[in-house]
């Protein structure tokens, strides 16, 4: 993903100032669209042993979406710096390890995210953990350098553990399981 | 042109020096030695106190004053790490009470500014005429002497061993204390909305507590969020109850549909001492004819309390909290020595109050 | 696999009864046959459909020459040059994380296959016991939740049974066996009538995790104050402060004494020490004394300052 700086540098080649200004605005808009978190729909119907509070549900959906945005960005850029905002524990450690190895191997992964159907399975009575399953529509493209070596465009299913922090819910565990088509 | 500039600079310098002299109380100091009225004498004395020139202030007192310089300084500037030692005199309002040819009584309302707000000290001073000059008679301050003794302290203290952050998720941890807001009342005051009530530490361990309130519109969106700041006893021992008050200046009650309350408690090390008794509490009028809740604080422990804050909750006849007010005590609480306090009560509250409850927040330099 | 599927699609699309249809089919088949040597250099991959985490295995690869092999897993990336016509060895450390893995083999073109790595046997428990302190005799007040993980900290999604063993400080213990659902088992129980430590141990197979909940006294019950002379003062003293089950309230619990006499009201918030709360207060004339602990009020007595 190109940064704003890269795009603006490219725009500087254009001699017409108004075109540059327009181009910069366009670049910012394009990037903001590119960095927008994916659609996440949370279904918490019949959640046990504790029902979910409305605010908690909203927070979880928002931060899960942000987690996927950060994850996609990190796997594409091979930069694990942004993961700590939304990931913690096993999930963060695994992703950081993967990104380091991706970077070492010259691979990167681009995710085209078509949205997530999140279903809450378990919410502990103390409110300290929530287990969810995610039916995600993802197009996962694996590159070796600039060469596309694999494209996956199948449904994916993830088992997720989320735990609350001071101001957000973190993804603590994210494991892909065999998706039921 | 060159001389004109020099002349202008000279005049400007003189004007600035004159302003500085006025500002530093030079006029008042001059007036002191020629205080032709009782009020002028008190004003001059206050001016010296304001500029921390205690020696000059002491020198200006009437020789009949039965005090010495250290006592005078201690009386005026505070001691033992009390709040007064951190305060400075902001202003002094002087009003004559009565006077005759040679003697007068002047009421002075000293307003001290401190980190926790302004503090009032109202005193009625006797002023005597000596020749053509009036001088203040400063009464000998009665400092309670704590007899030398050994006070055995058998106090309780809680220490916290927290979870090691390197330990795995799910390892044994200690829960935060459980606290409960036992009452909440939203009232409209001039220019603001006030949320007040009481909160109890229901747990068996001490809690460090913060109460926040969010005012919500009819559509559920927040108008403003505020915390109780110092209008609460933040450290609550097991089963201790504290009043709280949260002010929302500039908000009108008509705009508020509901209030979201949030009491957050943290596990902190704490000590059960000192115990401070609040004796002889009574609602009365002060020298300025304001409604006040007065009483004495007695530190029942062996260690001085440097700064004390009194928090009072007032109840109506149905037992509902209708107001919470506070006041800082500018003297240190020495062991076993009664120290007076007074907290303001608004007139309308004073008419409705049926009962009240007072607690004391304390800060000691050596405490944790 | 990918190549075969593509050819099949082409063939099915051209299936028709017409002469032109048959001719097109033949032409496509011929074209595929001509290009076969090029595709043949990228060998097919046939990994097992599922693998247990941390289990080494091999993927047989046919063909000859060299190719680049990629293994893309949740926390592991492999890129290495392999010789075709043998087995691709996957080390145990390369499949330690549960999840979906992509095996990709590339030379002039790429083939891929995916396989699932499932968690191994239970080896760790993340065990949450809530709360860490609970008043005695409170129904459904203790919650235990156990997340079952394997030795690589993958959540074990295959059903297992967690045995929650509850051992109070006094009295007989008991246990509850709870099957996991998506790797989680939880139970709820009531606190008993006596204060003290209660140990709860979660056991799955040979894995055990113990946690402790402290049962503490509930609200004060029958709070009683009495006055005894103490020099010029009056000492106010409670009886031992206990809850309704007879458990002593812990030291440090605040008891509030209130005295109303001719001089006004006096209050002292004093902590319980050695089971009782005590304070000394000066009283002017007849006074009315009351006592409270939190929101619980005790008895009221009348005393005389000259007592």
């Amino acid at each position: 993903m190109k940064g704003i700086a890269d795009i603006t540098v490219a725009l500087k080649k254009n001699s017409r100032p108004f075109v540059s200004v327009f181009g910069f605005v366009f670049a910012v808009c394009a990037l903001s669209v590119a960095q927008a978190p994916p659609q996440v729909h949370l279904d918490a119907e019949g959640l046990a042993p504790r029902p979910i509070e409305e605010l908690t549900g909203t927070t979880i959906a928002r931060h899960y979406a942000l987690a996927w945005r950060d994850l996609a960005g990190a796997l594409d850029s091979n930069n694990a710096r942004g993961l700590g905002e939304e990931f913690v524990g096993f999930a963060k450690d695994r992703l950081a390890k993967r990104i380091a190895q991706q970077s070492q191997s010259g691979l990167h992964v681009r995710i085209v995210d078509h949205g997530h159907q999140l279903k809450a399975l378990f919410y502990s009575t103390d409110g300290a953990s929530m287990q969810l399953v995610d039916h995600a529509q993802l197009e996962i493209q694996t590159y070796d350098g600039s060469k596309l070596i694999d494209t996956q465009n199948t449904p994916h299913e993830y088992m997720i553990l989320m735990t609350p922090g001071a101001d957000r819910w973190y993804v603590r565990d994210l494991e892909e399981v065999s998706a039921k088509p | 042109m060159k001389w004109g500039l020099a002349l202008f600079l000279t005049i400007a310098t003189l004007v600035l020096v004159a302003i500085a002299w006025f500002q530093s109380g030079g006029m008042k100091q001059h007036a002191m030695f020629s205080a032709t009225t009782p009020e002028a004498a008190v004003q001059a004395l206050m001016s010296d106190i304001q500029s921390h020139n205690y020696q000059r202030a002491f020198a200006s007192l009437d020789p009949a004053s039965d005090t010495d310089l250290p006592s005078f300084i201690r009386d005026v500037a505070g001691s033992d790490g009390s709040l007064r030692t951190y305060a400075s005199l902001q202003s002094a309002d002087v009003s004559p009470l009565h006077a005759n040819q040679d003697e007068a009584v002047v009421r002075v309302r000293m307003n001290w500014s401190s980190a926790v707000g302004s503090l009032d000290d109202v005193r009625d001073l006797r002023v005597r005429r000596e020749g053509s000059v009036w001088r203040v008679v400063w009464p000998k301050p009665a400092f309670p002497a704590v007899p030398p003794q050994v006070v055995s302290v058998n106090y309780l203290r809680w220490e916290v061993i927290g979870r090691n952050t390197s330990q795995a998720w799910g390892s044994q941890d200690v829960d935060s204390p459980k606290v409960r807001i036992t009452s909440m009342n939203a009232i409209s005051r001039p220019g603001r909305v006030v949320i007040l009530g009481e909160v109890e530490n229901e747990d068996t361990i001490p809690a460090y507590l913060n109460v926040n309130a969010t005012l919500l519109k009819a559509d559920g969106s927040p108008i403003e969020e505020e915390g109780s700041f110092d209008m609460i006893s933040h450290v609550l021992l097991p089963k201790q109850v504290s009043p709280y008050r949260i002010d929302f200046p500039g908000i009108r009650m008509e705009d508020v549909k509901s209030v979201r309350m949030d009491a957050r408690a943290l596990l902190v090390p704490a000590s059960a001492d000192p115990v401070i008794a609040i004796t002889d509490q009574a609602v009365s009028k002060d020298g300025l004819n304001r409604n006040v809740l007065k009483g004495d604080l007695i530190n029942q422990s062996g260690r001085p309390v440097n700064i004390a804050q009194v928090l009072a909750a007032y109840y109506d006849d149905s037992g509902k909290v209708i107001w919470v007010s506070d006041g800082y005590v500018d003297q240190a609480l020495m062991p076993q020595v009664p120290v007076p306090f007074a907290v303001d009560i608004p007139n309308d509250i004073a008419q409705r109050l049926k009962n009240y409850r007072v607690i004391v927040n304390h800060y000691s330099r050596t405490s944790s | 696999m990918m190549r075969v599927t593509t050819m099949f699609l082409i063939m099915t699309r051209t299936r028709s009864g017409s002469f032109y249809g048959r001719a097109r089919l033949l032409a496509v088949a011929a074209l595929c046959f001509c290009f076969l040597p090029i595709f043949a250099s990228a060998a097919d991959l046939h990994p097992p459909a599922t693998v247990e985490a941390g289990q080494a295995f091999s993927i047989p690869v046919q063909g000859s020459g060299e190719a680049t092999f990629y293994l893309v897993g949740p926390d592991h990336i492999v890129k290495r040059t392999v010789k075709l016509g043998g087995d691709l060895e996957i080390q145990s450390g390369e499949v330690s994380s549960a999840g979906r893995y992509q095996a990709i083999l590339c030379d002039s073109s790429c083939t891929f296959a995916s396989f699932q790595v499932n968690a191994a046997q239970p080896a760790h428990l993340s065990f949450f016991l809530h709360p860490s302190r609970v008043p005695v005799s409170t129904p459904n007040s203790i919650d235990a939740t156990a997340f079952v993980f394997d030795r690589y900290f993958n959540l074990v999604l295959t059903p297992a049974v967690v045995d929650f063993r509850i051992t109070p400080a006094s009295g007989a213990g008991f246990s509850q066996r709870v099957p996991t659902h998506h790797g989680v088992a939880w139970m709820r129980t009531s606190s008993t009538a006596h204060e003290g430590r209660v140990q709860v141990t979660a056991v799955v197979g040979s894995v055990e995790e113990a946690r402790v909940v402290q049962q503490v006294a509930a609200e004060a019950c029958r709070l009683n104050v009495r006055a005894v002379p103490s020099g010029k003062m009056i000492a106010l003293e409670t009886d031992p402060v206990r809850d309704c089950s007879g458990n002593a309230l812990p030291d440090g619990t605040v008891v509030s004494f209130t005295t109303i006499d001719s001089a006004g009201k006096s209050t002292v918030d004093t902590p319980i020490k050695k089971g009782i709360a005590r304070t000394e207060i000066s009283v002017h004339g007849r006074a009315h004394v009351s006592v409270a602990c939190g929101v619980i009020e005790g008895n009221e007595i009348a005393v005389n300052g000259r007592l």
Side-chain angles (χ1 to χ4, degrees), chain B residues 290-307:
Chain B
R290 296 175 304 187
N291 290 301
V292 289
L293 173 61
K294 283 181 172 178
D296 287 331
L297 304 181
I298 302 174
N299 175 3
Q300 294 190 339
S301 306
R303 192 174 58 178
V305 168
N306 301 108
I307 298 172

Side-chain angles (χ1 to χ4, degrees), chain B residues 26-159:
Chain B
M27 179 63 89
K28 289 173 183 174
Q29 283 174 19
H30 174 74
M32 183 187 78
F33 294 104
S34 56
T36 52
T37 63
E39 294 97 300
V42 176
Q43 282 286 12
L45 178 68
M46 292 299 122
S47 173
D48 276 339
I49 292 171
Q50 192 171 20
S51 58
H52 299 275
N53 197 343
Y54 301 119
Q55 284 198 332
R56 184 191 285 264
F58 182 72
S60 74
L61 297 179
D62 188 276
S65 301
D66 186 21
T67 187
D68 51 52
L69 179 61
S71 299
F72 174 71
I73 294 173
R74 190 178 167 190
D75 191 15
V76 170
S79 63
D80 303 310
S82 68
L83 188 57
R84 179 65 74 84
T85 61
Y86 301 103
S88 58
L89 183 61
Q90 196 67 22
S91 61
D93 295 335
V94 176
S95 52
L97 290 182
H98 53 83
N100 59 30
Q101 193 82 23
D102 297 319
E103 205 167 290
V105 176
V106 175
R107 174 164 291 170
V108 59
R109 181 182 176 184
M110 291 178 274
N111 184 258
W112 296 81
S113 68
S114 76
V116 293
S118 63
L119 305 162
D120 279 347
D121 184 358
V122 181
R123 297 192 190 201
D124 293 343
L125 297 174
R126 197 157 66 92
V127 190
R128 274 175 24 130
R129 194 162 70 89
E130 191 182 283
S132 60
V133 177
W134 289 83
R135 290 176 183 273
V136 176
V137 180
W138 195 265
K140 184 179 174 66
F143 298 117
V146 185
Q149 60 188 298
V150 175
V151 179
S152 66
V153 178
N154 173 23
Y155 67 87
L156 292 153
R157 192 173 161 78
W158 292 262
E159 298 292 353

Side-chain angles (χ1 to χ4, degrees), chain B residues 207-211 228-237 242 264 266 268 309 311 359 361 363:
Chain B
Y208 183 86
L209 178 71
N210 260 318
V211 175
S228 48
F229 190 52
D230 67 342
M231 294 296 264
I232 190 171
S233 178
H234 286 289
V235 177
L236 283 188
L237 298 183
S242 169
R264 287 189 185 174
L266 296 173
V268 288
Q309 180 203 14
L311 270 172
I359 65 164
N361 270 334
Y363 306 92

